[in-house]
Amino acid sequence: MQTKRTFGLLIAPFVVFTSVFFLIAVGKTVSLSFGYDPLLGHHQITWRYYQAIFANKTFIRTLLRTFSVTFLSSLLASLIGLRLAFLIKRSQSWGARFLSRIANVPLVLPHIFMVLVFIWCFDQTGLLVRLIHLLGWHQFQLPVLIGDPYQVGILLTYLWKETPYVLLTLLLVVRQLEDDYFLAAKNLGANRWQRLWYVEWPLVQPAFFNALIIVFSFSFGAYEVPALLGSQKYELLPVMIYDLYQQSDLTLRPLIMSFNVVISVIAIGFAGLLLGLSWWLPGGRRRQRT
Amino acid sequence: MKKQISTSGLGLIGCLFGLPAVVILLLAIGRHWYVPYLLPQRWDWLAIFKFWQQDSTLWPAVKASLSLGLGTVGLTLLIAYPMAIALVKYQTALKGILNVLIYAPLIIPGIALTTSLDLTFIQLHLTGTWLGVVVVQTLFCLPYAIKLLVDNLAIYQVDYEAVAQNLGASRWQSFWQITLPLSRDGLIGAVTMTLIVAMSQYLTTLLIGDGNYLTLAINMFPLIQGGRYQAAACYGVVFMATLLIPLGLFEWVLKRKVRRLAHHEL
């Protein structure tokens, strides 16, 4: 009895805080998205705003664009981070030690700093162009990467910022792996791919998917980078929603809230899909049970 | 030979990751960094102090960043620490739903959560207040803090606190002398991450703060937008100092306390 009370007391601050602020906001968002707005005297529940969203081609296109850019950058960051973590573990060299220390730098710097540095390095007259000109290739021209229609600048900035995060989280897991499994598999004649797929991947994949989900969810809904580096013609979702929200038009609120519900459901659904994939793949919890 | 290439390759990637800090520092203290120069042509070592004197928005921004950041660290620890202890020490059927609630603010797109919270907070009369901003930043920091504390506490397989209580220590003694020193690294990690996340918030602080709290991150945004890169870099250097000095102090105090306790016990 005593322990139950202690447990209750320990989780009480979290439960109270989450219900008061988080759950109320969720409830308000969902009810507003169905047109229930007592403030304006709307008490009727309607699907109208959801219908408007799915009929809105700009929204669908923006959604797909945002999803592809942020998923591609998160996937690349996760794969490169994973590869680097293994390279660092195997190599005891100064390069590996240096990399594992210095990877903390982009982790500490906010995204806007990374944008500033990205502009200074990859602008048309940025450091990279200057370096290549100095090396003697005077005709070299860098394609436009700031405000470009394909969002390459956004993708590269996220890659620069998130790869170290994945690297450091996975390094914690990779460092704990025993070499014994790997050596045993090698001894039994497993080739490189077999060792990777049957021995190493199952041990790290849960952490890999966790990192991928966190990085993707963050960049999918983040405003700063697309606002500073995005093209105005082909904007990304967070910029679009914020611009709508900023108009302070009370009649727009149900529409914005239904945008919020739709993109939240997509983000949660996609995270669930990735978790399910991790669960189902070798090394996932499904296999552990049997 | 192959090994050498991989070593310098890793070192080179390390340089790429370290580059942002170097560029910001050079931008702040360098002068005449035009095309085609790869490095600034002149240096002004006092640039940041001069900027501090000229720019009247810098000091209020430091104060706003610090007061919101430290408030968020306090509220986050108050909620996350007991939660982490509960999650590690007690087996419960509620774990699934608690985990969903913990990680939901990370999975839900930031822009959706921010605009929805803003609407809610207007009705709760929290918009534009210190508490309102701290609450929202805490919401974003809790997942990181709880995860770091749980991972750290879960390392210890033995329930040392129960052992201590068995030997006659009171609950308060066992917490103060056992659990707290054991979770030192977790606490340092949680505080570091919370302060980083809190101080980096741009849109949430701007919207919920209603322009009353112009933090370093908020002031930097228009500088970058307007191409005032040098001023932005000065802000960047000040931001790093504002972030790292309190963190260093905290780590020092906690390590000293733990060392003293260890000494005491010996």
Side-chain angles (χ1 to χ4, degrees):
Chain A
M1 212 52 226
Q2 179 72 18
T3 55
K4 232 179 197 169
R5 228 183 70 195
T6 320
F7 177 75
L9 279 176
L10 285 172
I11 67 165
F14 177 83
V15 173
V16 170
F17 182 83
T18 311
S19 357
V20 169
F21 297 111
F22 180 65
L23 294 181
I24 286 183
V26 170
K28 193 162 165 49
T29 307
V30 173
S31 62
L32 254 178
S33 73
F34 284 106
Y36 179 80
D37 193 353
L39 220 65
L40 292 184
H42 298 304
H43 293 282
Q44 252 181 342
I45 306 282
T46 164
W47 280 99
R48 204 170 65 211
Y49 300 102
Y50 286 99
Q51 284 166 345
I53 281 184
F54 289 108
N56 185 339
K57 285 219 173 87
T58 325
F59 170 73
I60 304 286
R61 238 178 272 143
T62 313
L63 177 68
L64 288 176
R65 189 185 304 133
T66 312
F67 186 88
S68 356
V69 172
T70 49
F71 182 63
L72 191 61
S73 72
S74 320
L75 187 66
L76 283 176
S78 305
L79 290 174
I80 298 173
L82 179 67
R83 180 84 191 112
L84 287 176
F86 271 111
L87 281 177
I88 287 179
K89 195 209 170 192
R90 297 227 178 93
S91 152
Q92 300 298 320
S93 61
W94 60 266
R97 257 172 296 151
F98 174 67
L99 175 56
S100 61
R101 288 265 165 85
I102 211 84
N104 280 299
V105 170
L107 209 65
V108 179
L109 294 172
H111 280 80
I112 32 177
F113 285 35
M114 298 304 287
V115 170
L116 170 66
V117 174
F118 181 83
I119 295 175
W120 197 253
C121 293
F122 295 101
D123 192 18
Q124 306 272 193
T125 57
L127 291 183
L128 180 67
V129 175
R130 298 183 205 177
L131 177 70
I132 292 174
H133 283 197
L134 265 183
L135 291 175
W137 185 6
H138 296 289
Q139 277 78 46
F140 178 80
Q141 271 192 331
L142 200 67
V144 180
L145 293 177
I146 291 137
D148 66 295
Y150 301 106
Q151 327 287 346
V152 181
I154 297 174
L155 194 146
L156 288 176
T157 307
Y158 277 138
L159 200 58
W160 204 354
K161 164 93 180 149
E162 313 297 4
T163 307
Y165 168 77
V166 178
L167 165 64
L168 289 177
T169 19
L170 293 186
L171 196 57
L172 291 178
V173 180
V174 169
R175 280 213 170 120
Q176 282 172 1
L177 294 186
E178 305 285 343
D179 275 334
D180 301 357
Y181 296 119
F182 182 78
L183 291 175
K186 199 172 177 180
N187 203 13
L188 291 169
N191 68 27
R192 238 186 108 175
W193 284 109
Q194 284 172 326
R195 290 197 303 259
L196 185 74
W197 182 250
Y198 292 110
V199 182
E200 285 172 334
W201 171 246
L203 291 169
V204 293
Q205 64 95 348
F208 172 84
F209 277 105
N210 270 340
L212 175 61
I213 290 171
I214 286 179
V215 171
F216 169 76
S217 307
F218 179 85
S219 43
F220 185 64
Y223 171 80
E224 290 96 322
V225 177
L228 288 169
L229 286 177
S231 124
Q232 282 185 335
K233 199 170 158 204
Y234 305 97
E235 52 183 14
L236 296 194
L237 262 183
V239 181
M240 187 188 103
I241 290 179
Y242 182 62
D243 285 349
L244 271 181
Y245 187 76
Q246 231 190 350
Q247 292 175 13
S248 304
D249 183 347
L250 284 185
T251 55
L252 274 180
R253 292 196 322 184
L255 187 71
I256 297 170
M257 291 304 120
S258 39
F259 277 139
N260 283 352
V261 171
V262 169
I263 66 171
S264 302
V265 167
I266 290 172
I268 293 169
F270 190 64
L273 194 76
L274 289 177
L275 274 183
L277 188 62
S278 156
W279 193 70
W280 177 80
L281 281 173
R285 247 182 275 168
R286 185 182 70 113
R287 308 288 171 120
Q288 278 170 18
R289 256 181 219 169
T290 51
Chain B
M1 192 59 208
K2 199 182 160 197
K3 193 162 184 181
Q4 285 241 294
I5 293 172
S6 123
T7 298
S8 33
L10 289 178
L12 214 64
I13 295 170
C15 292
L16 191 65
F17 288 159
L19 188 65
V22 178
V23 167
I24 287 176
L25 193 66
L26 289 187
L27 254 173
I29 60 171
R31 290 284 178 278
H32 294 272
W33 199 1
Y34 310 129
V35 184
Y37 303 121
L38 206 54
L39 284 173
Q41 297 304 296
R42 285 193 208 144
W43 304 95
D44 185 357
W45 302 106
L46 297 173
I48 289 154
F49 296 102
K50 283 183 194 158
F51 184 75
W52 186 286
Q53 282 182 331
Q54 282 166 14
D55 192 304
S56 57
T57 60
L58 192 60
W59 180 235
V62 171
K63 281 197 288 192
S65 282
L66 265 184
S67 84
L68 292 173
L70 296 181
T72 305
V73 168
L75 186 58
T76 303
L77 280 189
L78 219 59
I79 297 169
Y81 198 26
M83 183 70 182
I85 293 175
L87 284 178
V88 173
K89 283 183 64 174
Y90 296 88
Q91 290 301 321
T92 160
L94 291 172
K95 230 170 208 169
I97 187 138
L98 286 177
N99 270 323
V100 169
L101 284 177
I102 291 171
Y103 291 109
L106 275 193
I107 305 300
I108 292 177
I111 186 72
L113 200 51
T114 306
T115 48
S116 294
L117 282 168
D118 188 47
L119 269 188
T120 315
F121 276 34
I122 291 173
Q123 285 197 330
L124 297 174
H125 300 290
L126 282 169
T127 307
T129 65
W130 182 83
L131 186 66
V133 183
V134 165
V135 162
V136 174
Q137 292 187 347
T138 301
L139 205 59
F140 282 101
C141 294
L142 276 176
Y144 298 106
I146 293 177
K147 169 103 174 70
L148 286 164
L149 286 166
V150 164
D151 284 353
N152 175 248
L153 283 170
I155 295 174
Y156 305 103
Q157 303 283 332
V158 184
D159 189 350
Y160 288 110
E161 201 169 319
V163 174
Q165 281 179 22
N166 213 1
L167 291 170
S170 73
R171 282 173 155 241
W172 179 246
Q173 273 177 325
S174 67
F175 169 76
W176 192 245
Q177 305 205 352
I178 308 284
T179 310
L180 188 66
L182 283 183
S183 45
R184 186 192 76 184
D185 290 340
L187 280 172
I188 291 176
V191 168
T192 307
M193 201 62 194
T194 304
L195 198 60
I196 292 174
V197 173
M199 278 183 55
S200 308
Q201 294 288 335
Y202 167 73
L203 204 57
T204 45
T205 317
L206 186 66
L207 269 182
I208 314 285
D210 211 12
N212 291 341
Y213 293 92
L214 297 176
T215 59
L216 292 164
I218 289 182
N219 281 346
M220 264 186 82
F221 198 87
L223 291 178
I224 297 176
Q225 231 169 3
R228 295 184 56 202
Y229 299 138
Q230 211 220 330
C234 284
Y235 258 97
V237 174
V238 174
F239 181 97
M240 296 314 295
T242 314
L243 179 69
L244 295 177
I245 291 171
L247 286 181
L249 273 177
F250 175 74
E251 208 176 318
W252 182 71
V253 168
L254 209 59
K255 282 200 168 149
R256 214 176 62 143
K257 171 173 165 39
V258 170
R259 210 176 304 139
R260 203 192 284 157
L261 268 178
H263 196 71
H264 184 73
E265 251 141 58
L266 283 174

